[in-house]
Every structure is written in structure tokens, then in C-alpha cells.
Amino acid sequence: MTVSLSQTHILVDDPDAAIPFYRDALGLEVAADVANAGYRWISLVAPGHPEVLVVLEQPEAGRSPENGEALAALLAKGELAPAHFRTDDLDATIEAIRAIPGAVVLQEPADQFWGVRDAGVRDPAGNLLRIEQAK
Amino acid sequence: MGVDLEELRRLRRARDRMDREFATPLDVTAVAREAFMSPAHFSRRFRAAYAETPYAYLMTRRIERAKALLREGATVTEACHAVGCTSLGSFSASFTVLVGQSPSEYRRIGQAEVGGLSDCQAMRVTRPRRGRRGSSSFGEAPATAAV
């Protein structure tokens, strides 16, 4: 039996602010952009990896107002779990992120003492992303 | 319920600034300006959002880094200045409260804390923990008072 990741969801408050980050800076491709009941679901894939979807959705979509507000507050505070990405050119990826309005580089690319070279950034919604140099 | 999401975003940006610039002589007044709040109001709202004061957050970041520098052989004075503290006395006092040893004691024997651990385990073990009594199995004195 083999199980692998097929889809993961990232909460964003403003899809129009998030798309340039994920599409233009990270280089993901928009596979679908669906609107329903006032909310949007944007599916992205990495080039060459159509089997793994990264889906951007809003915290309030499909939840009670109370739970949507609780998630929106955690997102605004920057307290949701981080997402990790891998790039073949960390420095170029970080430079592309710097050009995106609302994105912040928290930690410049650095060789960590546990053996990886990585950087820490926030997307415009407030999610923490760690981006690692592929070996 | 009326959560003020814009206020929470400002608090997040202020906390991010502490993460980015803790090694500079940053103080809570400067960070509060990032959040467009007075220092007192900022401290209250930050504590409501993150369960610790901005000063405690900033000092925890600094002392985490100082511990790494001391393990690498920096002197106490070098570590103090490298993490943005301007007063050796208040640096040592904060360090002692948070770590349970003075910086000079830690420098002498701190290496034992990470002996035999892999690097990423060492990062977790050596991260200062405020007010989590008894969480360490490595013989650290528990962190006690909030700074």
C-alpha cells in the first residue's frame, strides 16, 4: 500500500492578494479558480507535479461564522501551522517574494546548523512558509 | 463577536519585526510604533493575542540566540551585544530568570545540555521556555517569573 499527499489547503483572507504570491513568486500554476456562495477556491500545482494540489481558500468558507472568525483571527495573528516548500534556487525565490505586495521575508536564506539551507517568509495573508533549498 | 482582524494583523507585523530585528537595539516603544499603538496599549493587546508581553517575547528571542552564541564560545559581553542588549546587567538578569543559570555558568557547562543530541533536537531542547515548569528533562532549572 502506498499513500501520498494529493491536496493540501492554505487559508488566505484575500485571494486576489494571495494569487500573485503563489503564482508569480513561487511559480505555481493556477489549475482552477472556482467561486461559489461568495467565496473562492484557487487550486495551484507546481510545474511537473499535477498530482499535488495546493488549494487557497478563505477561513470563513464552509464553516460556522464563529469557527470562521476563530480561524481568521489565528491567520491574522500568524498562528496557523506553517507550510514548507522546496525550491531549486532559494535566493531567486526569495527575491521574487520580495517583489510581492504584503509578503515579508522573516529570515533571510541561511545555512541552518541542522543541515538545511532555508528561509522564512509570510505570505500576504499571514501564513508562515519555510522555503528550503533542494539539494 | 467582532474580532478586530486589522489590529491582529498589526500585532503580527510587530511580532515579525521583533523576529527580524531582535539583534538590534530594538525596544518595545519602537515595536509599538510598528503597530500604530502606544507602548502600554500595545503591550496589553499583544499579551491578549499571544499570552506574553512583547518585552518577554523579545527577550526570549534574544536569550535563545545568546545561548547558541555562548555554546559556540562567545564571551558573555559578546553574546549580550550580539543579541541587541545594551545593558549587561539586565541581560544577565533576564538570562538567569529564563534559563535558570547565569550566562557565565551556562557558558561553562551549557555544552552538556546538547551533548549527544542531533542538531534539530538541540534546537528544540535549547529553546528557552517560559513558565513551563518541569518540562525539561535535561536538568535545567524551571523558568519562573515573567520578565
Side-chain angles (χ1 to χ4, degrees):
Chain A
M1 187 177 78
T2 304
V3 178
S4 62
L5 183 70
S6 61
Q7 191 174 118
T8 187
H9 290 233
I10 294 177
L11 297 180
V12 299
D13 55 349
D14 180 350
D16 288 321
I19 287 172
F21 178 90
Y22 288 92
R23 182 193 59 200
D24 303 337
L26 297 194
L28 306 182
E29 295 160 356
V30 176
D33 186 341
V34 177
N36 186 35
Y39 296 111
R40 279 167 69 192
W41 286 261
I42 296 109
S43 301
L44 302 116
V45 295
H49 293 280
E51 73 282 7
V52 183
L53 287 181
V54 175
V55 182
L56 308 180
E57 64 175 40
Q58 288 144 288
E60 299 86 356
R63 295 188 175 85
S64 71
E66 293 78 9
N67 287 338
E69 187 174 72
L71 275 176
L74 289 170
L75 173 61
K77 281 196 263 188
E79 289 286 280
L80 294 179
H84 289 235
F85 286 85
R86 188 180 294 117
T87 171
D88 58 11
D89 189 342
L90 180 60
D91 293 321
T93 301
I94 295 303
E95 287 314 307
I97 287 170
R98 263 189 245 284
I100 303 295
V104 179
V105 178
L106 298 179
Q107 178 222 299
E108 299 291 332
D111 293 309
Q112 303 292 357
F113 67 77
W114 56 92
V116 304
R117 179 170 173 77
D118 73 357
V121 304
R122 281 203 196 283
D123 74 4
N127 290 294
L128 174 62
L129 278 73
R130 294 209 67 88
I131 302 180
E132 179 181 322
Q133 173 69 49
K135 293 189 176 172
Chain B
M1 297 203 292
V3 172
D4 185 346
L5 293 176
E6 190 42 48
E7 180 186 75
L8 294 178
R9 291 185 192 108
R10 283 187 279 133
L11 293 171
R12 179 188 87 225
R13 290 182 197 113
R15 188 177 69 162
D16 285 348
R17 184 167 173 208
M18 289 192 275
D19 285 338
R20 290 200 313 272
E21 300 180 23
F22 69 89
T24 69
L26 190 65
D27 60 19
V28 172
T29 302
V31 181
R33 270 200 297 273
E34 180 89 22
F36 304 104
M37 296 180 199
S38 73
H41 185 64
F42 171 66
S43 289
R44 280 194 301 275
R45 300 310 298 156
F46 188 97
R47 186 170 196 163
Y50 297 113
E52 64 182 326
T53 64
Y55 182 75
Y57 185 84
L58 184 59
M59 289 308 292
T60 302
R61 286 306 308 256
R62 286 176 166 162
I63 287 166
E64 177 181 20
R65 178 73 187 132
K67 287 176 74 178
L69 294 171
L70 291 170
R71 288 198 305 277
E72 290 164 17
T75 67
V76 174
T77 305
E78 286 166 351
C80 169
H81 292 138
V83 300
C85 291
T86 49
S87 157
L88 197 55
S90 63
F91 167 76
S92 294
S94 295
F95 189 102
T96 305
V97 167
L98 203 49
V99 179
Q101 289 170 315
S102 70
S104 52
E105 285 169 339
Y106 183 84
R107 181 171 187 266
R108 209 164 53 242
I109 57 177
Q111 196 58 45
E113 186 179 44
V114 295
L117 293 176
S118 73
D119 288 337
C120 62
Q121 286 172 318
M123 182 190 69
R124 298 184 60 140
V125 167
T126 56
R127 174 156 293 174
R129 289 283 190 266
R130 197 174 290 272
R132 293 187 194 168
R133 185 176 291 272
S135 66
S136 170
S137 58
F138 291 82
E140 278 184 298
T144 50
V147 179

